[in-house]
C-alpha cells in the first residue's frame, strides 16, 4: 500500500514563521496577546520590515475589527511584501528631476504633500531633518535607502537573537490559535477542569533531575487508519425506512474572516421514546450540475445534547460517528423530550482561501438589455437560485420571514420587520405570505436597479454567502439534517442561541474524553492528552491540571496522508491553568488510501 505524504514545511516556511514570531514578540510579551488597535498593527508590521500605508492598514483594520491575533498577523505578512531598497530607489528617482542623485527639500515637499497619502508640511520637515544626513539641505537618497534597508535588517536580526536567547520567549514562539467555534473567544473554547474529574495519575517518580524530565517530557501517539473503501457500513439504512416518520432541515457552515466556522443550530422534539436514524451530509445543489461542488468532500458531524434549562441539565447524548459516502450517521433510541442538534465540521477541509480569482475579468452580475433596462445575468441568476435553495431551510420552495431574516442577518446584519415584509408582498412574487424563488430574483434585481447597476452591494452579499469573484462557493458548505423516527413524528426548528458555541465546544470535548483514556506527558503528571480515534476522524484534547498555563508543542511531521485542522504540521497550543482545550482534528487527505497519524506532544522549553 502506498501512502500519500502530508506536506512538510519547507526551510523557507520555517524561516518565515520564525521572522513572524520575532517581530511579534518584539512588540508584544506573548504570541497569544492580541493586536487591539490600528496603531499596534502599524507598529508590528513595521517591526517585520513592512511600511504600511493608511490604505493598507484600513484594509486589515476595518470599522468592525476589534482585535487580530498572531495567526492573522502571519496571514497579513504573506500578502504584504517587504519594502525593498530597490523599490525605494525607484520612487526617489522619480522625484529627482535633475538626475543628480539628490532631492531638495522643495522637491520632497512637493511630492509628499501633493501625491498619494498627502502629508502636512510639519511631517515633511520632520522626515527631511532625519534624512538630511550631511545637513546640507539635500537628501542623498541612495545613502538614505541603504541606511533604511540596513536599519530594518538590524532590527529584525536583533529580534531573532532575542527570540533565540530568551528561554521564556521560546515557549511562546508559536501561534496558538485554539479551535474556535463560531463567534467565541478563547475563554469559551477552553473548559475549566473540576477537581473531582481528575484523571488518575500514573505512578511515576518525579524525583529525577529536572533536565532528565525535560528530555523525557513528550508523548508519542501513532495510529494507522484503513481507507474508507475497505470499511463496511456498520449502520446500513434500516429496512422499511421509507415508512418511518421523517423531518429534515437545511443549513450551512460559513467560514468567517477570523478563520472560525459558524452554523445555525437546531431544536429537535421527540414526542415519544422511539428508535431514531439520524444523518447529516453536505447538500448538493442541483441548479449547477456542470459546476464542481468542492464542498461535497467537507466532513460533517451532528452532536445531540439534551435541552436542559441549566448547564448541568445539558448533556451530550450521542453524535454521528459512522459514515456512508458523504452521509454521517447515528442510529439508536431517544427518549421523549427536546434536544439540541449541533452541526460541526472539523475545519480540515473547509479552510480559508483567497477569494481572488486568477482571471483579471470578474464575472458580470448585471447587464443592460436592448431596451437599456437592467437585468441579472444568467450566471448570477443560477447562483441566486442556489442561495435560495440554501436559505430555504424547510425545503418547501418558499422563504418565510424567519428564513429570509436569517439570510439578511448573514449578509447585512439587519432584519426585515413585518411592515417591510408587507411592502415586499406588494412588490414581489409571494405565496402564502412567503417569498417565491421568482420574488427573490425580483428583489435582487430591484437592489441592482436602485444602484443603477453598480454591483458592489451584490458582491458583499455573495461574499458573505461564501462565493468568490468567479461565483464559486469556496468558503461555505451547505448541509442537510434528516431525522427518521420509527414510531413518532419528530419536529426540527432552527435556533439562534448565544450559548450555542459553548454548547458545541462542550459536546466536542465530551465526545473526545468519553471515548478514550487520558495519557500524562512524561515528567508532567498534571498535563494529559486525550486522543479520540473515530472511524473517519482523529481528534485530540489537552487537559491542564496545573495552576499555571502550559504551552504544548505539537509535531505531526511523521504523519502520512493526513491534514490537520491547524493547517500546519508543527504548532503549539497554550492551555490556561486548570482548563482543557481541543488541540486538533485530523482527517485523511485521500480517503481511498490508508493513513497514519503520528503525533508527538511535548512541553516547550522554559516550562
Amino acid at each position: 500500500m502506498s501512502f500519500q505524504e502530508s506536506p512538510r514545511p519547507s526551510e523557507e516556511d520555517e524561516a518565515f514563521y520564525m521572522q513572524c514570531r520575532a517581530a511579534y514578540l518584539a512588540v508584544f510579551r506573548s504570541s497569544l496577546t492580541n493586536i487591539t488597535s490600528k496603531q499596534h498593527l502599524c507598529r508590528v508590521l513595521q517591526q517585520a520590515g513592512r511600511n504600511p500605508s493608511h490604505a493598507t492598514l484600513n484594509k486589515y483594520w476595518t470599522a468592525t475589527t476589534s482585535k487580530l491575533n498572531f495567526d492573522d498577523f502571519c496571514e497579513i505578512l504573506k500578502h504584504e511584501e517587504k519594502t525593498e531598497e530597490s523599490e525605494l530607489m525607484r520612487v526617489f528617482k522619480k522625484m529627482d528631476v535633475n538626475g543628480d542623485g539628490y532631492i531638495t527639500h522643495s522637491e520632497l515637499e512637493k511630492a509628499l504633500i501633493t501625491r498619494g497619502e498627502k502629508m502636512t508640511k510639519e511631517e515633511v520637515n520632520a522626515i527631511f531633518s532625519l534624512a538630511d544626513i550631511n545637513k546640507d539641505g539635500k537628501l542623498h537618497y541612495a545613502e538614505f535607502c541603504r541606511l533604511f534597508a540596513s536599519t530594518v535588517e538590524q532590527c529584525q536580526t536583533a529580534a531573532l537573537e532575542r527570540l533565540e536567547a530568551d528561554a521564556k520567549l521560546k515557549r511562546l514562539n508559536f501561534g496558538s490559535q485554539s479551535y474556535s467555534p463560531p463567534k467565541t473567544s478563547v475563554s469559551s473554547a477552553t473548559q475549566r477542569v473540576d477537581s473531582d474529574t481528575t484523571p488518575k495519575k500514573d505512578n511515576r517518580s518525579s524525583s529525577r533531575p529536572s533536565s532528565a524530565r525535560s528530555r523525557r517530557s513528550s508523548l508519542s501517539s501513532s495510529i494507522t487508519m484503513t481507507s474508507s473503501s475497505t470499511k463496511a457500513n456498520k449502520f446500513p439504512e434500516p429496512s422499511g425506512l421509507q415508512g418511518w416518520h421523517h423531518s429534515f432541515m437545511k443549513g450551512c457552515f460559513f467560514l468567517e474572516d477570523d478563520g472560525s466556522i459558524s452554523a445555525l443550530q437546531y431544536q429537535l422534539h421527540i414526542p415519544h421514546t422511539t428508535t431514531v436514524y439520524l444523518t447529516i451530509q453536505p447538500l448538493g445543489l442541483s441548479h449547477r450540475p456542470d459546476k464542481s461542488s468542492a464542498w461535497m468532500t467537507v466532513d460533517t458531524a451532528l452532536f445531540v445534547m439534551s435541552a436542559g434549562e441549566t448547564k448541568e441539565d445539558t448533556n451530550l447524548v450521542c453524535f454521528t460517528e459512522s459514515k456512508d459516502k458523504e452521509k454521517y450517521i447515528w442510529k439508536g433510541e431517544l427518549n421523549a423530550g427536546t434536544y439540541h442538534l449541533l452541526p460541526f465540521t472539523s475545519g480540515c477541509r473547509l479552510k480559508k482561501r483567497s477569494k481572488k480569482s486568477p482571471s483579471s475579468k470578474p464575472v458580470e452580475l448585471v447587464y443592460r438589455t436592448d431596451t437599456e433596462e437592467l437585468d441579472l445575468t444568467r450566471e448570477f441568476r443560477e447562483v441566486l437560485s442556489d442561495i435560495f435553495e440554501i436559505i430555504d431551510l424547510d425545503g418547501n420552495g418558499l422563504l418565510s420571514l424567519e428564513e429570509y431574516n436569517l439570510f439578511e442577518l448573514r449578509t447585512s446584519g439587519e432584519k426585515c420587520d413585518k411592515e417591510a415584509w408587507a411592502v415586499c408582498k406588494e412588490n414581489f412574487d409571494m405565496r402564502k405570505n412567503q417569498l417565491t424563488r421568482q420574488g427573490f430574483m425580483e428583489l435582487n434585481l430591484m437592489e441592482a436597479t436602485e444602484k443603477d447597476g453598480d454591483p458592489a452591494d451584490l458582491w458583499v452579499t455573495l461574499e458573505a454567502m461564501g462565493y468568490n469573484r468567479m461565483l464559486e462557493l469556496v468558503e461555505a458548505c451547505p448541509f442537510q439534517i434528516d431525522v427518521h423516527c420509527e414510531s413518532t413524528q419528530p419536529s426540527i426548528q432552527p435556533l439562534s442561541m448565544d450559548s450555542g458555541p459553548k454548547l458545541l465546544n462542550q459536546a466536542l470535548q465530551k465526545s473526545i474524553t468519553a471515548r478514550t483514556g487520558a495519557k500524562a506527558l512524561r515528567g508532567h503528571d498534571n498535563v494529559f492528552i486525550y486522543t479520540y480515534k473515530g472511524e473517519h476522524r482523529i481528534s485530540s484534547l489537552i487537559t491542564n491540571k496545573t495552576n499555571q498555563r502550559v504551552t504544548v508543542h505539537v509535531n505531526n511531521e511523521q504523519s502520512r496522508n493526513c491534514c490537520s485542522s491547524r493547517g500546519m504540521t508543527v504548532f503549539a497550543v497554550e492551555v490556561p491553568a486548570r482548563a482543557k482545550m481541543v488541540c486538533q482534528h485530523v482527517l485523511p487527505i485521500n480517503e481511498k488510501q490508508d493513513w497514519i497519524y503520528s503525533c508527538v506532544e511535548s512541553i516547550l522549553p522554559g516550562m
Side-chain angles (χ1 to χ4, degrees):
M1 175 67 68
S2 61
F3 298 112
Q4 181 175 342
E5 237 181 77
S6 57
R8 298 187 182 187
S10 65
E11 289 184 8
E12 185 179 345
D13 290 336
E14 290 290 346
F16 169 75
Y17 280 105
M18 183 65 77
Q19 289 166 2
C20 291
R21 294 192 290 274
Y24 206 83
L25 292 173
V27 177
F28 301 108
R29 186 180 61 83
S30 163
S31 59
L32 294 179
T33 302
N34 288 319
I35 300 169
T36 56
S37 71
K38 191 186 294 184
Q39 291 73 24
H40 281 158
L41 176 60
C42 180
R43 185 179 167 197
V44 75
L45 285 174
Q46 288 172 336
Q47 181 65 43
R50 275 56 171 179
N51 187 27
S53 63
H54 291 305
T56 298
L57 293 172
N58 290 335
K59 179 168 66 171
Y60 298 111
W61 194 277
T62 66
T64 59
T65 306
S66 61
K67 63 182 179 181
L68 297 170
N69 61 23
F70 174 74
D71 298 305
D72 298 325
F73 172 66
C74 293
E75 284 301 312
I76 292 172
L77 289 193
K78 288 179 183 177
H79 295 94
E80 299 300 325
E81 297 295 329
K82 285 185 180 180
T83 304
E84 300 291 345
E85 184 177 347
S86 58
E87 183 185 348
L88 279 175
M89 283 290 293
R90 180 178 55 81
V91 173
F92 277 120
K93 281 180 179 178
K94 285 185 179 180
M95 299 184 199
D96 182 10
V97 293
N98 301 324
D100 59 0
Y102 292 90
I103 296 175
T104 65
H105 184 283
S106 59
E107 289 171 338
L108 184 66
E109 183 179 78
K110 182 179 179 182
L112 294 182
I113 68 174
T114 60
R115 301 178 193 170
E117 296 182 7
K118 300 174 182 61
M119 292 185 174
T120 64
K121 288 188 177 182
E122 290 75 16
E123 288 172 327
V124 174
N125 290 337
I127 290 174
F128 200 85
S129 65
L130 292 172
D132 184 8
I133 299 165
N134 298 323
K135 305 301 178 185
D136 57 359
K138 293 182 180 180
L139 172 63
H140 184 209
Y141 56 81
E143 177 66 11
F144 174 76
C145 292
R146 187 191 67 77
L147 284 173
F148 175 86
S150 65
T151 301
V152 168
E153 186 177 348
Q154 287 169 14
C155 288
Q156 291 179 300
T157 301
L160 282 168
E161 288 174 351
R162 285 196 300 272
L163 182 64
E164 292 168 359
D166 193 330
K168 187 175 182 180
L169 289 180
K170 279 186 179 179
R171 65 186 175 90
L172 301 173
N173 66 358
F174 284 88
S176 172
Q177 181 181 5
S178 63
Y179 166 74
S180 178
K183 301 298 182 188
T184 189
S185 63
V186 171
S187 61
S188 63
T190 60
Q191 185 168 322
R192 294 291 162 187
V193 179
D194 300 324
S195 57
D196 59 351
T197 60
T198 306
K200 188 176 181 180
K201 294 182 182 180
D202 292 347
N203 183 22
R204 308 181 196 274
S205 169
S206 59
S207 61
R208 69 175 73 96
S210 59
S211 59
R213 287 202 304 272
S214 176
R215 288 195 298 270
R216 296 173 57 82
S217 63
S218 65
L219 177 67
S220 178
S221 302
S222 184
I223 302 172
T224 300
M225 304 285 285
T226 57
S227 66
S228 60
S229 59
T230 64
K231 294 175 182 174
N233 184 10
K234 287 187 177 180
F235 287 99
E237 190 173 285
S239 59
L241 187 67
Q242 298 303 318
W244 288 27
H245 303 275
H246 174 234
S247 186
F248 77 95
M249 191 65 63
K250 290 184 283 187
C252 193
F253 295 112
F254 292 106
L255 195 54
E256 305 293 357
D257 289 339
D258 63 359
S260 64
I261 297 172
S262 64
L264 278 175
Q265 297 174 326
Y266 305 85
Q267 181 174 282
L268 168 67
H269 181 67
I270 304 287
H272 307 288
T273 300
T274 182
T275 301
V276 175
Y277 184 72
L278 182 70
T279 66
I280 181 172
Q281 61 184 321
L283 177 67
L285 299 174
S286 58
H287 303 288
R288 309 182 81 196
D290 58 318
K291 298 285 186 182
S292 61
S293 302
W295 67 88
M296 293 301 291
T297 63
V298 170
D299 60 296
T300 60
L302 195 62
F303 292 88
V304 181
M305 298 193 79
S306 55
E309 293 183 5
T310 65
K311 181 181 176 182
E312 289 71 25
D313 297 332
T314 305
N315 297 304
L316 178 64
V317 177
C318 61
F319 63 100
T320 54
E321 290 190 84
S322 295
K323 183 186 177 190
D324 181 18
K325 296 180 181 178
E326 294 90 12
K327 188 182 294 183
Y328 291 78
I329 305 163
W330 179 84
K331 180 188 173 188
E333 186 175 273
L334 286 182
N335 293 327
T338 301
Y339 300 88
H340 292 317
L341 300 182
L342 312 177
F344 166 77
T345 184
S346 67
C348 291
R349 294 176 180 160
L350 184 58
K351 292 185 175 181
K352 203 75 182 169
R353 62 185 75 182
S354 173
K355 288 186 180 180
K356 293 180 181 178
S357 164
S359 170
S360 58
K361 186 179 179 183
V363 175
E364 297 292 334
L365 303 182
V366 295
Y367 72 102
R368 291 195 179 274
T369 65
D370 295 338
T371 58
E372 288 300 306
E373 292 183 354
L374 283 171
D375 201 356
L376 308 178
T377 62
R378 179 182 61 83
E379 294 86 356
F380 186 34
R381 285 182 178 273
E382 288 178 350
V383 168
L384 286 175
S385 188
D386 285 348
I387 290 174
F388 184 93
E389 194 77 18
I390 293 169
I391 62 179
D392 177 20
L393 301 181
D394 59 9
N396 69 346
L398 302 168
L399 294 183
S400 66
L401 176 57
E402 292 75 17
E403 288 172 327
Y404 181 75
N405 271 336
L406 290 170
F407 165 73
E408 278 293 305
L409 285 170
R410 174 75 205 165
T411 56
S412 70
E414 300 176 353
K415 291 178 73 172
C416 176
D417 58 24
K418 290 184 179 179
E419 246 178 61
W421 194 244
V423 174
C424 287
K425 190 174 183 179
E426 295 173 5
N427 292 277
F428 309 119
D429 189 40
M430 280 203 178
R431 193 183 314 149
K432 300 177 183 178
N433 201 37
Q434 297 183 82
L435 194 65
T436 65
R437 194 182 301 264
Q438 178 58 34
F440 187 61
M441 299 289 178
E442 292 168 355
L443 190 151
N444 280 275
L445 177 57
M446 182 202 72
E447 289 188 3
T449 303
E450 285 181 346
K451 298 289 185 179
D452 195 29
D454 183 353
D457 286 352
L458 299 176
W459 279 118
V460 169
T461 296
L462 289 168
E463 290 184 351
M465 293 299 293
Y467 286 86
N468 65 11
R469 291 293 171 124
M470 291 299 290
L471 296 183
E472 298 165 328
L473 189 60
V474 293
E475 293 190 356
C477 172
F479 61 80
Q480 180 168 311
I481 297 168
D482 288 270
V483 181
H484 293 84
C485 292
E486 188 174 24
S487 58
T488 191
Q489 179 61 49
S491 61
I492 313 175
Q493 294 294 329
L495 282 180
S496 182
M497 298 187 294
D498 291 337
S499 61
K502 288 185 178 180
L503 277 179
L504 176 58
N505 194 55
Q506 179 186 335
L508 189 57
Q509 291 185 353
K510 187 65 176 177
S511 71
I512 296 172
T513 58
R515 293 291 197 278
T516 184
K519 293 183 179 180
L521 283 176
R522 292 175 184 171
H524 296 273
D525 291 345
N526 284 319
V527 181
F528 301 88
I529 308 292
Y530 292 83
T531 304
Y532 161 76
K533 175 192 171 185
E535 289 184 30
H536 308 280
R537 165 173 55 90
I538 291 174
S539 297
S540 63
L541 177 141
I542 303 169
T543 297
N544 175 17
K545 293 292 297 177
T546 71
N547 291 321
Q548 61 182 4
R549 65 183 180 183
V550 297
T551 305
V552 179
H553 180 270
V554 182
N555 189 323
N556 296 321
E557 287 183 309
Q558 297 306 311
S559 294
R560 296 293 180 267
N561 188 30
C562 290
C563 58
S564 168
S565 57
R566 293 282 178 166
M568 294 182 284
T569 55
V570 179
F571 57 91
V573 179
E574 186 162 311
V575 187
R578 308 195 69 77
K580 54 188 175 183
M581 181 182 292
V582 174
C583 176
Q584 66 175 333
H585 308 288
V586 177
L587 294 178
I589 296 173
N590 185 343
E591 290 190 332
K592 295 180 180 179
Q593 294 182 351
D594 292 355
W595 48 297
I596 298 176
Y597 168 80
S598 181
C599 181
V600 178
E601 293 105 347
S602 56
I603 300 292
L604 282 179
M607 290 305 303

